[in-house]
Amino acid sequence: MAFTNGTSLNHPVRILLVDDNSNGLAARRSVLEELGYHIVTSATVEEALGTFERNTFDLVITDYKLPDFNGVEFIGRIREKLPELPVILISGFIDTLGLDEKSTGANAVIQKSSNEVNQLVRAVNRLLRRKPPTRAGSKVPATRRRAG
């Protein structure tokens, strides 16, 4: 199954985007929607967790610094429910805090910079190609059903 313009052969790709900075959220959302992805946004981890529980997503993108939890804590909560769901962490503190894929649980860690958009698009495309979402005729992917 190949992804073209944000869709698989079966459904539009849904991405949960979490950031409390409205400008960063709007910019990332705009870029990803232009590529054809369906974006759902949240400004807090609590809001994102509620959205995550009620919906199915193919990918999660989260900022590190959030008002109620940090992105690593949020990733941990996601991994408890769906360990295989691809997650991207974005932060301006990667070097300062020593954030990487191993220490955060994210599949990709991106530094906020002038190169961020290009890195984000590449990471999204790479992670979605790596393992296309599984659908079995319902809105709940097989991985979520097995997670129980």
Side-chain angles (χ1 to χ4, degrees), residues 1-9 11 13 37 58 125 127-133:
M1 228 184 257
F3 289 89
T4 308
N5 294 333
T7 61
S8 74
L9 296 176
H11 72 287
V13 173
Y37 298 115
D58 302 293
N125 289 331
L127 291 171
L128 291 173
R129 273 193 314 264
R130 183 188 71 186
K131 185 176 180 187

Side-chain angles (χ1 to χ4, degrees), residues 1 3 5 8 12 23 28 30 37 48 54 71 86 95 97 101 103 131 136 139 143 147:
M1 228 184 257
F3 289 89
N5 294 333
S8 74
N23 292 331
R28 290 181 196 104
S30 177
Y37 298 115
R54 293 185 306 275
D95 293 332
L97 298 176
E101 289 79 0
S103 68
K131 185 176 180 187
K139 77 178 232 180
T143 53

Side-chain angles (χ1 to χ4, degrees), residues 16-31:
L16 176 60
L17 179 59
V18 186
D19 193 340
D20 63 321
N21 178 311
S22 60
N23 292 331
L25 193 69
R28 290 181 196 104
R29 179 182 192 153
S30 177
V31 166

Side-chain angles (χ1 to χ4, degrees), residues 52 56 71 77-78 85 140:
F52 182 76
T56 300
R77 303 273 291 272
I78 289 171
L85 183 68
V140 179

Side-chain angles (χ1 to χ4, degrees), residues 59 88 108-110 118-128:
L59 177 77
I88 298 172
V109 177
I110 297 172
N118 290 333
Q119 291 177 355
L120 179 62
V121 169
R122 279 195 307 270
V124 166
N125 289 331
R126 175 178 55 85
L127 291 171
L128 291 173

Side-chain angles (χ1 to χ4, degrees), residues 11-144:
H11 72 287
V13 173
R14 293 175 47 87
I15 297 174
L16 176 60
L17 179 59
V18 186
D19 193 340
D20 63 321
N21 178 311
S22 60
N23 292 331
L25 193 69
R28 290 181 196 104
R29 179 182 192 153
S30 177
V31 166
L32 294 168
E33 283 180 339
E34 180 134 340
L35 294 172
Y37 298 115
H38 177 79
I39 309 300
V40 176
T41 62
S42 294
T44 68
V45 170
E46 283 300 324
E47 180 185 3
L49 287 171
T51 300
F52 182 76
E53 289 294 324
R54 293 185 306 275
N55 298 278
T56 300
F57 293 96
D58 302 293
L59 177 77
V60 173
I61 302 169
T62 183
D63 189 23
Y64 175 79
K65 188 176 179 189
L66 297 164
D68 48 353
F69 295 93
N70 68 45
V72 174
E73 293 167 323
F74 177 48
I75 292 168
R77 303 273 291 272
I78 289 171
R79 295 287 183 230
E80 289 172 9
K81 304 279 185 190
L82 288 171
E84 298 301 315
L85 183 68
V87 180
I88 298 172
L89 177 73
I90 300 174
S91 178
F93 305 102
I94 289 176
D95 293 332
T96 307
L97 298 176
L99 302 174
D100 61 19
E101 289 79 0
K102 187 174 181 180
S103 68
T104 64
N107 298 89
V109 177
I110 297 172
Q111 174 73 39
K112 288 184 182 179
S113 68
S114 59
N115 227 6
E116 175 190 336
V117 171
N118 290 333
Q119 291 177 355
L120 179 62
V121 169
R122 279 195 307 270
V124 166
N125 289 331
R126 175 178 55 85
L127 291 171
L128 291 173
R129 273 193 314 264
R130 183 188 71 186
K131 185 176 180 187
T134 303
R135 299 277 191 247
S138 72
K139 77 178 232 180
V140 179
T143 53
R144 183 169 285 176

